[in-house]
């Protein structure tokens, strides 16, 4: 069957689903499914017919359902699931979709988790996603983030990759199997948590208290199979801003009165701004000239420097521009904070908390993705090096704070890593003459590693190697943290392909239609292999 299934999956070229529509896909689900029945496709197995049906007809359904889900502004960091009307509205839409396709639906907790189910008996397969999304500041986007649109072969909108496109792929894959009259050998669950981008407690409770499926696949990172995840670290540095000096030191040009960078902890800032006021004896014109000179002096050392200065009333605003990306892929973007701190370092600023924290960024973070300057650097063979990204800089209530997101691999236990952070905080304090200290709320998550020799990983790797014609592909590791870590033996499978940009937390988030198409087909094969016709070799070991 495996050979015939492979042939069915290769009936069309990878981009054929993006070309002219297959006439067999016209009409309602029952009518089009009949065109892939055992009568219509004589001699084809159920697996072959299912593969052909999904490959020919799934993409339009996936795009349409993704668009529906994206229109719900489910930003959990702005309003938690229990109080978010958009999450509630999305739940009602999913419930209506489930009933319309003959699936079960239930809400677990106070809109913490939406669960759709197919089949009877004990849970056999769980497909795990999250329905909440990160903020989408309008000023960073060229398109309306919650009005999805297809342009030049890509679907744009907040959540199309992280995680609403994958949700649609999973739902459509199950619906098409049901259309054909296929039945799982146990219960198949679509599990949608609504706090992945903010508060995991709801999904944690679900994972701790609900029956666990034999196999759990999270579709929230990348391919081929992501069997390990770095530990999530949140670290804060802060300093009192302090009051302005009545008599500034000789040579001082300006005082930093405000600073801002980043939107949330898990996104590398694409923009950073510093507001400066002239000290006694200086003018806004003199400050503006000094800032422009500092930019010019720094430019030769930074070919990608994009910064400008302008007057705003009696103050001068310095703005640096970078490339915003998910903090787990910080080395694929460009941190605007680095450039802001470098230009600021060339200015004669009054020594307050803002200036001190910017000096720390320049000395201990600028140009360093791996914590070497902080004395934190280490790496693991499977999971790679520690990743360090300063992401959120703000002034509030007389203090300036810097939020730092790290992704730590295995190789150091919690005690050893905490000791390293203590030492780093001490260095920062010494750098700033005691002005900058560690803030409260240190969080240290543990790395997660699944069993790469188990039947789930073997099955998914086989699917990926054949579909992508990549026989040498091996399981990998991600720096991000997904709900997979809450379930024993769970792994991530998609949606991002190797060497393709991941835009999940970036402005103008998008996903290629070809990626959605192939991801849906691979997920459908996983559903068939693991739940509809599970062979003895893929059943869970005792």
């Amino acid at each position: 069957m495996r050979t015939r299934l492979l042939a069915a999956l290769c009936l069309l070229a990878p981009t054929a689903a993006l070309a002219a529509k297959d006439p067999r896909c016209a009409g309602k689900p029952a009518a089009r499914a009949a065109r892939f029945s055992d009568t219509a496709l004589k001699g084809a197995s159920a697996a072959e017919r299912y593969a052909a049906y999904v490959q020919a007809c799934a993409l339009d359904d996936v795009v349409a359902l993704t668009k529906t889900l994206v229109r719900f502004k489910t930003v959990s960091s702005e309003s938690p699931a229990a109080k978010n009307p958009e999450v509630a509205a999305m739940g009602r839409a999913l419930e209506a979709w489930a009933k319309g396709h003959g699936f079960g639906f239930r809400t677990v907790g106070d809109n913490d988790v939406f669960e759709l189910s197919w089949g009877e008996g004990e849970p056999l397969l769980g497909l795990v996603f999250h329905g909440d999304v990160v903020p989408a500041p309008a000023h960073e986007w060229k398109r309306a983030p919650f009005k999805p649109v297809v342009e030049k072969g890509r679907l744009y909108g907040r959540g199309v990759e992280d995680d609403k496109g994958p949700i649609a792929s999973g739902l459509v894959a199950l619906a098409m199997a049901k259309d054909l009259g296929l039945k799982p050998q146990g219960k198949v669950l679509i599990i949608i948590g609504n706090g992945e981008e903010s508060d995991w407690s709801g999904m944690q409770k679900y994972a701790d208290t609900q029956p666990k499926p034999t196999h759990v696949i999270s579709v929230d990172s990348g391919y081929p199979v992501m069997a390990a995840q770095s530990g999530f670290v949140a670290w804060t540095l802060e300093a009192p801003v302090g009051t302005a000096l009545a008599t500034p030191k000789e040579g001082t040009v300006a005082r930093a009165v405000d600073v801002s960078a980043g939107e949330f902890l898990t996104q590398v800032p694409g923009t950073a701004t510093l507001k400066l006021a002239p000290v006694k004896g200086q003018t806004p014109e003199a400050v503006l000239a000094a800032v422009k000179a500092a930019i010019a002096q720094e430019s030769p050392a930074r070919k990608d420097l994009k910064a400008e200065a302008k007057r705003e009333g009696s103050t001068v605003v310095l703005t640096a521009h970078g490339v915003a990306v998910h903090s787990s892929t910080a080395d694929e973007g460009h941190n605007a904070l680095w450039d802001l701190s470098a230009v600021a370092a060339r200015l004669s600023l009054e020594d307050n908390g803002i200036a001190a924290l910017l000096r720390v960024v320049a000395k201990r973070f600028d140009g360093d993705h791996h914590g070497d300057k902080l004395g934190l650097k280490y790496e693991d063979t499977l999971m790679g090096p520690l990743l360090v990204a300063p992401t959120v800089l703000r002034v509030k209530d007389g203090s300036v704070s810097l939020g730092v997101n790290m992704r730590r691999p295995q190789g150091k236990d919690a005690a050893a890593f905490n000791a390293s952070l203590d030492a780093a905080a001490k260095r920062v304090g010494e750098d700033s003459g005691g002005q900058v200290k560690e803030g409260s709320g240190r969080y240290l998550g543990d790395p997660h590693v699944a069993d790469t020799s188990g039947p789930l990983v073997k099955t998914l790797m086989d699917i990926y190697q054949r579909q992508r014609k990549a026989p040498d592909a091996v399981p990998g590791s991600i720096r991000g943290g997904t709900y997979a870590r809450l379930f024993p033996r769970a792994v991530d499978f998609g949606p991002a392909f190797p060497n393709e940009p991941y835009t999940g937390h970036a402005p103008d988030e998008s996903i290629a239609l070809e990626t959605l198409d192939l991801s849906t087909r691979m997920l459908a094969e996983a559903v068939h292999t693991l739940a509809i016709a599970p062979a003895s070799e893929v059943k869970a070991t005792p």
Side-chain angles (χ1 to χ4, degrees):
M1 176 182 290
R2 180 66 68 185
T3 301
R4 296 180 68 189
L5 180 57
L6 174 59
L9 290 168
C10 296
L11 285 173
L12 301 176
T15 56
L18 310 182
K21 292 183 179 180
D22 192 314
R24 295 175 296 175
C25 301
K28 295 183 178 181
R32 65 183 190 180
R35 301 177 188 119
F36 296 86
S37 66
D38 52 0
T39 301
L41 299 180
K42 293 182 179 180
S45 68
E48 292 167 344
R49 293 188 290 105
Y50 179 38
Y53 184 27
V54 171
Q55 186 157 351
C57 305
L59 183 60
D60 282 352
D61 289 3
V62 171
V63 170
L65 184 53
T66 301
K67 286 182 174 181
T68 296
L69 297 175
V70 168
R71 292 186 183 103
F72 297 106
K73 190 180 179 182
T74 54
V75 182
S76 58
S77 62
E78 295 178 355
S79 179
K83 299 179 180 180
N84 194 322
E86 294 288 318
V87 172
M90 186 176 72
R92 292 191 294 271
L94 287 168
E95 182 175 15
W97 188 96
K99 290 181 178 180
H101 289 81
F103 295 122
F105 178 90
R106 68 179 181 128
T107 298
V108 182
D110 199 353
N111 285 337
D112 293 321
V113 179
F114 299 140
E115 181 192 271
L116 293 84
S117 59
W118 177 39
E120 303 294 335
E122 295 298 313
L124 177 57
L125 175 63
L127 303 179
V128 178
F129 312 87
H130 64 87
D132 63 318
V133 297
V134 295
H139 68 274
E140 291 189 350
W141 285 63
K142 298 177 182 177
R143 302 164 182 83
F146 299 102
K147 294 180 179 180
V149 62
V150 174
E151 295 179 4
K152 297 179 180 179
R154 298 189 71 87
L155 175 60
Y156 289 84
R158 177 57 90 211
V160 294
E161 185 166 31
D162 186 29
D163 233 5
K164 292 178 177 179
I167 291 172
S169 289
L171 291 174
V172 169
L174 295 193
M176 297 185 104
K178 194 172 185 298
D179 289 346
L180 292 175
L182 303 179
K183 295 181 179 180
Q185 300 303 302
K187 189 174 289 186
V188 178
L189 303 177
I190 297 283
I191 303 166
I192 304 171
N194 293 314
E196 198 268 352
E197 303 291 6
S198 56
D199 181 2
W200 283 36
S201 58
M203 184 60 118
Q204 179 72 66
K205 185 176 181 180
Y206 175 93
D208 290 343
T209 61
Q210 302 300 310
K212 293 179 176 58
T214 303
H215 304 294
V216 176
I217 302 171
S218 167
V219 191
D220 187 26
S221 63
Y223 293 110
V225 172
M226 296 300 145
Q229 299 183 11
S230 297
F232 184 97
V233 179
W235 195 50
T236 304
L237 299 174
E238 63 183 19
V241 174
T243 57
L245 297 176
T247 305
K249 292 182 179 180
E250 185 177 352
T252 303
V253 174
R255 178 179 67 256
V257 294
D258 196 13
V259 69
S260 178
E263 301 292 341
F264 42 92
L265 188 65
T266 56
Q267 184 194 66
V268 169
T271 303
T273 61
L274 175 63
K275 183 176 288 188
L276 300 166
V279 299
K280 186 177 181 180
Q282 297 288 344
T283 65
E285 290 79 6
V287 176
L288 181 61
V291 175
K292 288 184 175 180
I295 293 172
Q297 291 164 4
E298 187 63 28
S299 292
R302 294 172 184 263
K303 295 180 181 179
D304 296 329
L305 178 64
K306 295 180 180 178
E308 74 270 354
K310 63 180 181 179
R311 277 194 59 179
E312 288 188 357
S314 61
T315 62
V316 173
V317 177
L318 164 64
T319 303
H321 303 279
V323 178
V325 294
H326 194 294
S327 59
S328 67
T329 59
D331 47 0
E332 297 177 9
H334 185 93
N335 198 318
L337 257 176
W338 291 356
D339 292 343
L340 188 79
S341 68
V343 174
R346 292 183 175 275
L347 297 169
S348 297
L349 301 180
E350 182 179 292
D351 189 18
N352 65 4
I354 297 174
L357 197 45
L358 285 172
R359 289 198 303 271
V360 166
V361 173
K363 182 175 181 179
R364 298 291 181 180
F365 292 92
D366 182 16
D368 180 12
H369 289 294
H370 305 300
D372 191 25
K373 294 179 179 179
L374 285 164
L376 298 173
K377 185 177 181 179
Y378 75 102
E379 61 183 286
D380 173 73
T381 302
L382 171 64
M383 303 178 74
L386 171 73
L387 192 72
V388 177
T391 56
V392 181
L393 186 60
R394 288 287 188 278
V395 174
K396 183 179 180 182
D397 298 330
S399 293
V400 56
S401 64
L402 175 67
V404 182
N405 187 206
M406 304 182 195
R407 308 300 172 114
R408 73 181 189 100
Q410 60 185 355
K412 275 191 177 183
D413 62 21
F417 194 81
N418 273 315
S420 296
L421 287 179
D422 292 340
K426 183 179 179 181
R427 292 186 187 97
V428 166
E430 293 170 349
D431 293 342
S432 62
Q435 286 177 283
V436 180
K437 298 179 180 180
E438 180 177 358
S440 61
R442 180 191 294 191
Y443 176 82
L444 192 67
D446 292 324
H448 165 78
V449 182
D451 178 12
T452 57
S453 65
L456 177 60
V457 172
K458 289 182 177 179
T459 298
L460 297 179
M461 284 303 305
D462 175 61
I463 292 170
Y464 180 86
Q465 288 168 344
R466 288 185 291 99
Q467 288 273 15
R468 292 283 285 180
K469 296 180 176 60
D472 297 327
V474 297
S477 173
I478 58 170
R479 294 163 174 163
T482 74
Y483 282 148
R485 65 193 306 125
L486 302 181
F487 299 86
R489 300 181 303 278
V491 298
D492 277 281
F493 189 57
F497 287 106
N499 302 317
E500 289 185 3
Y502 180 75
T503 65
H505 284 200
D508 291 298
E509 179 178 348
S510 68
I511 190 167
L513 298 185
E514 188 174 344
T515 296
L516 272 180
D517 179 48
L518 183 53
S519 292
T520 305
R521 289 189 277 130
M522 290 200 292
L523 201 55
E525 185 178 353
V527 168
H528 191 277
T529 305
L530 295 167
I532 296 174
S536 58
E537 65 267 20
V538 300
K539 290 183 178 178
T541 55

